[in-house]
Amino acid sequence: MSQFVVGVTGGIGSGKTTVTNLFAQKGIEVVDADVIARQVVAPGSDGLSQIVDKFGGLIVTAKGELDRPKLRDIIFKDSRLKAWLNALLHPLIREQMVQQSQAAGSVYCLLSVPLLVENNLQSLVNSVLVVDVDEQHQIERTMLRDDTDAAQVRAIMQAQVSREERLAAADHIIDNNGDSTQLIEKVDELHQIYLALAESFR
Ligand code: ADP
């Protein structure tokens, strides 16, 4: 059971997934808030049945899955419905983040939360790791990964906290402006730090 939970965050395309994969290769369990956000509305979930009660059966696709684009459209136009949905989903997601990180079997675990600072979730973790890149790398790498354009990446960045605000919440920072060798070295170094912190935390 992991007592020591490291929250990993960073803007879009900063390298969170790349970083958490490197920790996972060391046997460190990774709990992903994006995965949880899908689990809490998966077919058969209490979350999905409450959404169907509220929005009607047409909010579900023929496959029985939540029609996310449709739901996004509805709440974009109606702030009260958006607030209702957030009030339903945020506690469910939060509860799962706590449960799954506590259940992790590694000496410490990572909780990857892209919007950790935006949603003020620092209290769920023992230490905050920010993956940081400059704007140019962030845009270039996201464009390459998602086959999108700079304007779209900038629009997503606008909806996230500023780099400065995120960095202010960090206990540790990974500077991911360099190459993969530098990244691996930094992860090795942090892994040793987290092992020691987890040990002293027992
Ligand atoms: P996030 O999960 O934060 O959105 P990713 O880990 O998916 O970011 O990284 C964004 C893209 O940048 C991916 O295609 C990834 O392979 C690439 N990438 C990450 N780190 C580096 C690096 N140090 N050098 C070059 N490309 C990188």
Side-chain angles (χ1 to χ4, degrees), residues 1-5 29 31 36 95-106 108-111 124-125:
M1 187 160 126
S2 292
Q3 306 278 351
F4 193 75
V5 182
E29 286 190 31
V31 178
I36 291 177
E95 187 187 313
Q96 278 303 310
M97 290 199 292
V98 172
Q99 263 185 27
Q100 293 187 22
S101 48
Q102 280 179 355
S106 47
Y108 67 91
C109 78
L110 303 184
L111 177 58
L124 295 188
V125 302

Side-chain angles (χ1 to χ4, degrees), residues 33-98:
D34 285 344
V35 172
I36 291 177
R38 287 193 291 274
Q39 286 172 347
V40 298
V41 294
S45 65
D46 180 43
L48 184 57
S49 86
Q50 292 202 48
I51 291 172
V52 171
D53 284 348
K54 182 86 177 171
F55 294 87
L58 291 176
I59 205 68
V60 169
T61 66
K63 280 178 161 175
E65 288 168 353
L66 179 62
D67 191 335
R68 289 169 171 280
K70 195 182 277 178
L71 184 63
R72 209 177 302 132
D73 254 11
I74 295 172
I75 63 168
F76 183 71
K77 292 176 193 138
D78 188 329
S79 60
R80 273 189 308 177
L81 286 176
K82 183 178 179 180
W84 179 89
L85 189 69
N86 284 340
L88 169 73
L89 296 181
H90 284 185
L92 291 175
I93 293 170
R94 199 185 166 98
E95 187 187 313
Q96 278 303 310
M97 290 199 292
V98 172

Side-chain angles (χ1 to χ4, degrees), residues 5-37:
V5 182
V6 178
V8 181
T9 195
I12 182 171
S14 57
K16 295 178 294 296
T17 310
T18 311
V19 165
T20 55
N21 284 344
L22 289 171
F23 280 99
Q25 283 168 20
K26 298 178 180 296
I28 297 305
E29 286 190 31
V30 180
V31 178
D32 186 329
D34 285 344
V35 172
I36 291 177

Side-chain angles (χ1 to χ4, degrees), residues 11-18 141 145 176 178-180 183:
I12 182 171
S14 57
K16 295 178 294 296
T17 310
T18 311
R141 288 177 185 167
R145 183 192 63 187
N176 191 22
D179 60 19
S180 57
L183 194 59

Side-chain angles (χ1 to χ4, degrees), residues 130-181:
V130 170
V131 184
D132 180 59
V133 280
D134 60 36
E135 204 177 290
Q136 197 186 338
H137 279 107
Q138 190 174 10
I139 293 172
E140 278 171 11
R141 288 177 185 167
T142 308
M143 281 170 60
L144 211 62
R145 183 192 63 187
D146 297 346
D147 192 23
T148 182
D149 59 34
Q152 265 193 313
V153 183
R154 279 186 200 283
I156 294 170
M157 286 165 64
Q158 287 295 317
Q160 303 184 336
V161 288
S162 68
R163 203 175 155 195
E164 291 69 31
E165 223 175 311
R166 194 181 292 107
L167 286 171
D171 294 297
H172 295 98
I173 297 165
I174 288 186
D175 173 350
N176 191 22
N177 290 304
D179 60 19
S180 57
T181 313

